[in-house]
Amino acid sequence: MNNSKVALLLIGCAVATLQPGAALSEIFPLKHGIYVLSNVPCGQASFGTLGSYDGKGITIGHASCKVKVLNKSGNTYNVSTKCYSERDDSTTKLTEVYTITSHTSFTVKNDNGEFSSRYCERSSLPSPWGDK
């Protein structure tokens, strides 16, 4: 897997499943919709560089993840993540730090590096994600 796909997989893992008892709240204070790695123009997004946030989690490829928020300080969340990928039948466990930089962007740090994503309007995305 290339670094951008690993980054999105790990981003998706950290926010993919609600914690027990959090059914009525959002995981992160982010706008619902499509998020693309910040170094990729919205119009050039691909399956490996985007995810969809719905308040309950981010859908990324074939990853199914469980997250536990270990602690929160301001806009920074320390989380423990366990992801299962159906594509290659693998499990990934890691600790990540999310910083919510605005209601439309965030940065995640983990053992694989630091990655930022931002919200993209559907109209700015290529097919099949865009409204075009």
Side-chain angles (χ1 to χ4, degrees), residues 22-45:
L24 299 177
S25 65
E26 303 263 336
I27 296 171
F28 297 119
L30 292 169
K31 182 175 183 173
H32 294 196
I34 304 292
Y35 284 78
V36 176
L37 287 175
S38 296
N39 63 343
V40 176
C42 293
Q44 294 178 16

Side-chain angles (χ1 to χ4, degrees), residues 5 15-17 29-30 37 47 55 81 84 87 114 131:
K5 288 183 181 178
V15 292
T17 306
L30 292 169
L37 287 175
F47 186 72
T81 306
Y84 172 73
R87 172 164 274 169
E114 182 174 328
D131 290 334

Side-chain angles (χ1 to χ4, degrees), residues 41-81:
C42 293
Q44 294 178 16
S46 66
F47 186 72
T49 63
L50 61 75
S52 175
Y53 180 68
D54 66 1
K56 297 177 183 177
I58 288 185
T59 302
I60 302 286
H62 303 280
S64 173
C65 306
K66 294 183 180 180
V67 75
K68 178 181 178 184
V69 176
L70 302 173
N71 59 58
K72 176 186 179 285
S73 177
N75 292 334
T76 301
Y77 298 75
N78 291 300
V79 300
S80 173
T81 306

Side-chain angles (χ1 to χ4, degrees), residues 75-115:
N75 292 334
T76 301
Y77 298 75
N78 291 300
V79 300
S80 173
T81 306
K82 181 178 180 182
C83 297
Y84 172 73
S85 174
E86 293 177 18
R87 172 164 274 169
D88 59 6
D89 195 34
S90 66
T91 301
T92 304
K93 297 177 187 177
L94 62 149
T95 300
E96 299 176 299
V97 177
Y98 273 76
T99 301
I100 308 303
T101 52
S102 76
H103 76 287
T104 59
S105 63
F106 63 90
T107 299
V108 61
K109 294 179 188 177
N110 57 43
D111 291 342
N112 295 303
E114 182 174 328
F115 309 94

